[in-house]
Amino acid sequence: MEAEALRALELPAILERLAARAATDLGAGRARALAPSPDEDEVRARQALTAEAVALLDAAEEPALGGITDIGPAAERAGRDGVLGPADLRAIARTVSVAVEARAALGRTSATLLTALAEPIDPGLAALAAELDRCVEEDGSDLRDTASPLLRRLRAELRNGGARVRD
């Protein structure tokens, strides 16, 4: 469709309203990027997904998605043997936990199309999220002393050395 026709149909305003209702920034960005499709099969598929989502909302069975962030850049950096900071690790833990729970929640509904979309989320990732939760401070500011025995020992030595210097 032509840009002028889309403006006449007020598509930008509709997409902005949709984005404002998204549970996450990532979802809002995807809502703003939506464009009509000329493919009849794709339109039917989108309508079916939308119908399932609306039914979940009406039944108050939608999975909670709050806390999901775009961890793509961090995953890409880690894939290139890059270093992830505590804030990245906390975001990954939170996103993975929410995604695994959303997959499970969808599995308890009759939303077969949405459940199929969540199928690639590996429930085994919950163990990774739990380990990250154990090792990273809640606010993502640092690693916990209990993250490893070596870290605990080194930080204790650092504190003791600081105390000796002050004395």
PDB file of all heavy atoms in Angstrom, residues 54-78:
ATOM      1  N   VAL A  54      -6.503 -12.166  21.614  1.00  0.00           N
ATOM      2  CA  VAL A  54      -7.666 -11.468  22.160  1.00  0.00           C
ATOM      3  C   VAL A  54      -8.456 -12.397  23.087  1.00  0.00           C
ATOM      4  O   VAL A  54      -8.900 -11.991  24.167  1.00  0.00           O
ATOM      5  CB  VAL A  54      -8.551 -10.913  21.023  1.00  0.00           C
ATOM      6  CG1 VAL A  54      -9.900 -10.439  21.545  1.00  0.00           C
ATOM      7  CG2 VAL A  54      -7.827  -9.782  20.299  1.00  0.00           C
ATOM      8  N   ALA A  55      -8.596 -13.658  22.698  1.00  0.00           N
ATOM      9  CA  ALA A  55      -9.308 -14.621  23.547  1.00  0.00           C
ATOM     10  C   ALA A  55      -8.582 -14.811  24.881  1.00  0.00           C
ATOM     11  O   ALA A  55      -9.226 -14.902  25.936  1.00  0.00           O
ATOM     12  CB  ALA A  55      -9.448 -15.955  22.820  1.00  0.00           C
ATOM     13  N   LEU A  56      -7.252 -14.850  24.846  1.00  0.00           N
ATOM     14  CA  LEU A  56      -6.489 -14.964  26.095  1.00  0.00           C
ATOM     15  C   LEU A  56      -6.691 -13.733  26.971  1.00  0.00           C
ATOM     16  O   LEU A  56      -6.865 -13.848  28.186  1.00  0.00           O
ATOM     17  CB  LEU A  56      -4.997 -15.144  25.806  1.00  0.00           C
ATOM     18  CG  LEU A  56      -4.546 -16.486  25.251  1.00  0.00           C
ATOM     19  CD1 LEU A  56      -3.042 -16.481  25.012  1.00  0.00           C
ATOM     20  CD2 LEU A  56      -4.930 -17.624  26.172  1.00  0.00           C
ATOM     21  N   LEU A  57      -6.658 -12.555  26.351  1.00  0.00           N
ATOM     22  CA  LEU A  57      -6.888 -11.324  27.105  1.00  0.00           C
ATOM     23  C   LEU A  57      -8.285 -11.299  27.713  1.00  0.00           C
ATOM     24  O   LEU A  57      -8.453 -10.935  28.888  1.00  0.00           O
ATOM     25  CB  LEU A  57      -6.690 -10.105  26.200  1.00  0.00           C
ATOM     26  CG  LEU A  57      -5.252  -9.791  25.797  1.00  0.00           C
ATOM     27  CD1 LEU A  57      -5.228  -8.737  24.693  1.00  0.00           C
ATOM     28  CD2 LEU A  57      -4.439  -9.339  26.992  1.00  0.00           C
ATOM     29  N   ASP A  58      -9.285 -11.693  26.937  1.00  0.00           N
ATOM     30  CA  ASP A  58     -10.662 -11.705  27.424  1.00  0.00           C
ATOM     31  C   ASP A  58     -10.836 -12.668  28.598  1.00  0.00           C
ATOM     32  O   ASP A  58     -11.592 -12.396  29.523  1.00  0.00           O
ATOM     33  CB  ASP A  58     -11.637 -12.081  26.304  1.00  0.00           C
ATOM     34  CG  ASP A  58     -11.823 -10.959  25.294  1.00  0.00           C
ATOM     35  OD1 ASP A  58     -11.422  -9.806  25.585  1.00  0.00           O
ATOM     36  OD2 ASP A  58     -12.363 -11.240  24.191  1.00  0.00           O
ATOM     37  N   ALA A  59     -10.112 -13.792  28.546  1.00  0.00           N
ATOM     38  CA  ALA A  59     -10.212 -14.789  29.602  1.00  0.00           C
ATOM     39  C   ALA A  59      -9.200 -14.540  30.725  1.00  0.00           C
ATOM     40  O   ALA A  59      -9.127 -15.320  31.671  1.00  0.00           O
ATOM     41  CB  ALA A  59      -9.983 -16.185  29.014  1.00  0.00           C
ATOM     42  N   ALA A  60      -8.437 -13.458  30.627  1.00  0.00           N
ATOM     43  CA  ALA A  60      -7.389 -13.127  31.592  1.00  0.00           C
ATOM     44  C   ALA A  60      -6.407 -14.287  31.747  1.00  0.00           C
ATOM     45  O   ALA A  60      -5.967 -14.611  32.845  1.00  0.00           O
ATOM     46  CB  ALA A  60      -7.983 -12.725  32.934  1.00  0.00           C
ATOM     47  N   GLU A  61      -6.048 -14.921  30.636  1.00  0.00           N
ATOM     48  CA  GLU A  61      -5.105 -16.042  30.644  1.00  0.00           C
ATOM     49  C   GLU A  61      -3.802 -15.708  29.926  1.00  0.00           C
ATOM     50  O   GLU A  61      -2.992 -16.596  29.698  1.00  0.00           O
ATOM     51  CB  GLU A  61      -5.738 -17.263  29.955  1.00  0.00           C
ATOM     52  CG  GLU A  61      -6.902 -17.865  30.685  1.00  0.00           C
ATOM     53  CD  GLU A  61      -7.479 -19.070  29.952  1.00  0.00           C
ATOM     54  OE1 GLU A  61      -7.247 -19.207  28.731  1.00  0.00           O
ATOM     55  OE2 GLU A  61      -8.165 -19.865  30.595  1.00  0.00           O
ATOM     56  N   GLU A  62      -3.614 -14.429  29.592  1.00  0.00           N
ATOM     57  CA  GLU A  62      -2.401 -14.068  28.863  1.00  0.00           C
ATOM     58  C   GLU A  62      -1.188 -14.231  29.768  1.00  0.00           C
ATOM     59  O   GLU A  62      -1.240 -13.950  30.955  1.00  0.00           O
ATOM     60  CB  GLU A  62      -2.473 -12.641  28.316  1.00  0.00           C
ATOM     61  CG  GLU A  62      -2.319 -11.550  29.346  1.00  0.00           C
ATOM     62  CD  GLU A  62      -3.586 -11.190  30.095  1.00  0.00           C
ATOM     63  OE1 GLU A  62      -4.608 -11.876  29.959  1.00  0.00           O
ATOM     64  OE2 GLU A  62      -3.545 -10.200  30.830  1.00  0.00           O
ATOM     65  N   PRO A  63      -0.077 -14.715  29.205  1.00  0.00           N
ATOM     66  CA  PRO A  63       1.130 -14.862  30.030  1.00  0.00           C
ATOM     67  C   PRO A  63       1.726 -13.499  30.352  1.00  0.00           C
ATOM     68  O   PRO A  63       1.651 -12.575  29.557  1.00  0.00           O
ATOM     69  CB  PRO A  63       2.073 -15.674  29.132  1.00  0.00           C
ATOM     70  CG  PRO A  63       1.587 -15.444  27.743  1.00  0.00           C
ATOM     71  CD  PRO A  63       0.111 -15.188  27.839  1.00  0.00           C
ATOM     72  N   ALA A  64       2.301 -13.388  31.528  1.00  0.00           N
ATOM     73  CA  ALA A  64       2.963 -12.148  31.922  1.00  0.00           C
ATOM     74  C   ALA A  64       4.268 -12.026  31.141  1.00  0.00           C
ATOM     75  O   ALA A  64       5.047 -12.970  31.081  1.00  0.00           O
ATOM     76  CB  ALA A  64       3.241 -12.164  33.415  1.00  0.00           C
ATOM     77  N   LEU A  65       4.489 -10.894  30.515  1.00  0.00           N
ATOM     78  CA  LEU A  65       5.688 -10.681  29.715  1.00  0.00           C
ATOM     79  C   LEU A  65       6.561  -9.562  30.257  1.00  0.00           C
ATOM     80  O   LEU A  65       7.604  -9.260  29.688  1.00  0.00           O
ATOM     81  CB  LEU A  65       5.306 -10.399  28.254  1.00  0.00           C
ATOM     82  CG  LEU A  65       4.525 -11.500  27.550  1.00  0.00           C
ATOM     83  CD1 LEU A  65       4.129 -11.056  26.150  1.00  0.00           C
ATOM     84  CD2 LEU A  65       5.324 -12.786  27.502  1.00  0.00           C
ATOM     85  N   GLY A  66       6.147  -8.936  31.339  1.00  0.00           N
ATOM     86  CA  GLY A  66       6.929  -7.860  31.914  1.00  0.00           C
ATOM     87  C   GLY A  66       8.309  -8.340  32.329  1.00  0.00           C
ATOM     88  O   GLY A  66       8.457  -9.427  32.884  1.00  0.00           O
ATOM     89  N   GLY A  67       9.307  -7.550  32.044  1.00  0.00           N
ATOM     90  CA  GLY A  67      10.673  -7.907  32.394  1.00  0.00           C
ATOM     91  C   GLY A  67      11.488  -8.406  31.226  1.00  0.00           C
ATOM     92  O   GLY A  67      12.705  -8.524  31.316  1.00  0.00           O
ATOM     93  N   ILE A  68      10.820  -8.702  30.118  1.00  0.00           N
ATOM     94  CA  ILE A  68      11.552  -9.140  28.938  1.00  0.00           C
ATOM     95  C   ILE A  68      12.237  -7.930  28.312  1.00  0.00           C
ATOM     96  O   ILE A  68      11.622  -6.883  28.147  1.00  0.00           O
ATOM     97  CB  ILE A  68      10.618  -9.806  27.912  1.00  0.00           C
ATOM     98  CG1 ILE A  68      10.169 -11.168  28.428  1.00  0.00           C
ATOM     99  CG2 ILE A  68      11.294  -9.950  26.556  1.00  0.00           C
ATOM    100  CD1 ILE A  68       9.247 -11.923  27.492  1.00  0.00           C
ATOM    101  N   THR A  69      13.513  -8.084  28.007  1.00  0.00           N
ATOM    102  CA  THR A  69      14.257  -7.047  27.309  1.00  0.00           C
ATOM    103  C   THR A  69      14.931  -7.674  26.096  1.00  0.00           C
ATOM    104  O   THR A  69      14.991  -8.900  25.969  1.00  0.00           O
ATOM    105  CB  THR A  69      15.327  -6.404  28.218  1.00  0.00           C
ATOM    106  OG1 THR A  69      16.192  -7.422  28.701  1.00  0.00           O
ATOM    107  CG2 THR A  69      14.703  -5.682  29.394  1.00  0.00           C
ATOM    108  N   ASP A  70      15.435  -6.848  25.231  1.00  0.00           N
ATOM    109  CA  ASP A  70      16.127  -7.335  24.038  1.00  0.00           C
ATOM    110  C   ASP A  70      17.535  -7.766  24.445  1.00  0.00           C
ATOM    111  O   ASP A  70      18.414  -6.936  24.634  1.00  0.00           O
ATOM    112  CB  ASP A  70      16.186  -6.249  22.964  1.00  0.00           C
ATOM    113  CG  ASP A  70      16.798  -6.739  21.666  1.00  0.00           C
ATOM    114  OD1 ASP A  70      17.155  -7.928  21.577  1.00  0.00           O
ATOM    115  OD2 ASP A  70      16.919  -5.927  20.732  1.00  0.00           O
ATOM    116  N   ILE A  71      17.722  -9.069  24.578  1.00  0.00           N
ATOM    117  CA  ILE A  71      19.032  -9.597  24.967  1.00  0.00           C
ATOM    118  C   ILE A  71      19.839 -10.033  23.748  1.00  0.00           C
ATOM    119  O   ILE A  71      20.926 -10.592  23.891  1.00  0.00           O
ATOM    120  CB  ILE A  71      18.897 -10.757  25.971  1.00  0.00           C
ATOM    121  CG1 ILE A  71      18.070 -11.902  25.392  1.00  0.00           C
ATOM    122  CG2 ILE A  71      18.321 -10.252  27.285  1.00  0.00           C
ATOM    123  CD1 ILE A  71      18.065 -13.154  26.231  1.00  0.00           C
ATOM    124  N   GLY A  72      19.329  -9.739  22.561  1.00  0.00           N
ATOM    125  CA  GLY A  72      20.024 -10.100  21.330  1.00  0.00           C
ATOM    126  C   GLY A  72      21.450  -9.578  21.261  1.00  0.00           C
ATOM    127  O   GLY A  72      22.371 -10.352  20.977  1.00  0.00           O
ATOM    128  N   PRO A  73      21.673  -8.277  21.521  1.00  0.00           N
ATOM    129  CA  PRO A  73      23.053  -7.772  21.470  1.00  0.00           C
ATOM    130  C   PRO A  73      23.979  -8.468  22.472  1.00  0.00           C
ATOM    131  O   PRO A  73      25.128  -8.774  22.152  1.00  0.00           O
ATOM    132  CB  PRO A  73      22.904  -6.286  21.798  1.00  0.00           C
ATOM    133  CG  PRO A  73      21.502  -5.949  21.373  1.00  0.00           C
ATOM    134  CD  PRO A  73      20.707  -7.189  21.683  1.00  0.00           C
ATOM    135  N   ALA A  74      23.493  -8.752  23.679  1.00  0.00           N
ATOM    136  CA  ALA A  74      24.324  -9.442  24.676  1.00  0.00           C
ATOM    137  C   ALA A  74      24.612 -10.871  24.229  1.00  0.00           C
ATOM    138  O   ALA A  74      25.751 -11.351  24.366  1.00  0.00           O
ATOM    139  CB  ALA A  74      23.637  -9.436  26.038  1.00  0.00           C
ATOM    140  N   ALA A  75      23.617 -11.549  23.692  1.00  0.00           N
ATOM    141  CA  ALA A  75      23.825 -12.923  23.208  1.00  0.00           C
ATOM    142  C   ALA A  75      24.818 -12.937  22.048  1.00  0.00           C
ATOM    143  O   ALA A  75      25.680 -13.824  21.967  1.00  0.00           O
ATOM    144  CB  ALA A  75      22.494 -13.530  22.791  1.00  0.00           C
ATOM    145  N   GLU A  76      24.703 -11.953  21.177  1.00  0.00           N
ATOM    146  CA  GLU A  76      25.638 -11.857  20.048  1.00  0.00           C
ATOM    147  C   GLU A  76      27.064 -11.626  20.548  1.00  0.00           C
ATOM    148  O   GLU A  76      28.006 -12.256  20.085  1.00  0.00           O
ATOM    149  CB  GLU A  76      25.208 -10.721  19.117  1.00  0.00           C
ATOM    150  CG  GLU A  76      25.993 -10.655  17.828  1.00  0.00           C
ATOM    151  CD  GLU A  76      25.477  -9.549  16.926  1.00  0.00           C
ATOM    152  OE1 GLU A  76      24.254  -9.482  16.709  1.00  0.00           O
ATOM    153  OE2 GLU A  76      26.317  -8.765  16.455  1.00  0.00           O
ATOM    154  N   ARG A  77      27.202 -10.738  21.520  1.00  0.00           N
ATOM    155  CA  ARG A  77      28.520 -10.455  22.087  1.00  0.00           C
ATOM    156  C   ARG A  77      29.090 -11.704  22.756  1.00  0.00           C
ATOM    157  O   ARG A  77      30.271 -12.029  22.599  1.00  0.00           O
ATOM    158  CB  ARG A  77      28.418  -9.295  23.085  1.00  0.00           C
ATOM    159  CG  ARG A  77      29.755  -8.763  23.535  1.00  0.00           C
ATOM    160  CD  ARG A  77      29.669  -7.431  24.295  1.00  0.00           C
ATOM    161  NE  ARG A  77      28.754  -7.399  25.424  1.00  0.00           N
ATOM    162  CZ  ARG A  77      27.557  -6.815  25.420  1.00  0.00           C
ATOM    163  NH1 ARG A  77      27.105  -6.192  24.355  1.00  0.00           N
ATOM    164  NH2 ARG A  77      26.797  -6.830  26.490  1.00  0.00           N
ATOM    165  N   ALA A  78      28.268 -12.423  23.502  1.00  0.00           N
ATOM    166  CA  ALA A  78      28.718 -13.658  24.149  1.00  0.00           C
ATOM    167  C   ALA A  78      29.104 -14.706  23.110  1.00  0.00           C
ATOM    168  O   ALA A  78      30.067 -15.444  23.298  1.00  0.00           O
ATOM    169  CB  ALA A  78      27.626 -14.202  25.065  1.00  0.00           C
TER     170      ALA A  78
END
